[in-house]
Amino acid sequence: QVQLVESGGGLVQAGASLRLSCAASGRTLSKYAMGWFRQAPGKEREFVAGISWSGGSTYYADSVKGRFTISRDNGKNTVYLRMNSLKPEDTAVYYCAADRGVGVVTTSDLYDYWGQGTQVTVSS
């Protein structure tokens, strides 16, 4: 069993940056591929970014490519999402998730464990 806890969300103005963290407990994250998803009000949950278990592969949604960076520190059992040049359309609850596989997956159904989410609000 893996417990995931996100932090780092908040209210910022457009153009600002935030770094989200996802801390894991229960098992080492080094055995899991990790992903960040987000869900805005009235919308379905969508894939944002993913990273392989080793950190050697990453993948991003087109909407965040070039602005967001996913990384991981397996020694600290933590995954990060650095978000630059934030836009109002980035407003959502952001979730991290863990997948027992080694490669990046973009489908939420394939993830095994989820955090409770952290709110990111970007004002214009």
Side-chain angles (χ1 to χ4, degrees), residues 112-124:
D112 302 290
Y113 303 102
W114 291 83
Q116 83 291 345
T118 185
Q119 176 71 47
V120 172
T121 303
V122 185
S123 63
S124 57

Side-chain angles (χ1 to χ4, degrees), residues 42-59:
K43 295 187 177 181
E44 294 187 353
R45 189 172 299 188
E46 64 174 356
F47 172 81
V48 174
I51 188 167
S52 61
W53 68 275
S54 67
S57 296
T58 57
Y59 189 79

Side-chain angles (χ1 to χ4, degrees), residues 36-39 44-48 63 89 106:
W36 285 95
F37 290 77
R38 67 186 181 186
Q39 187 167 18
E44 294 187 353
R45 189 172 299 188
E46 64 174 356
F47 172 81
V48 174
S63 59
E89 50 263 44
T106 62

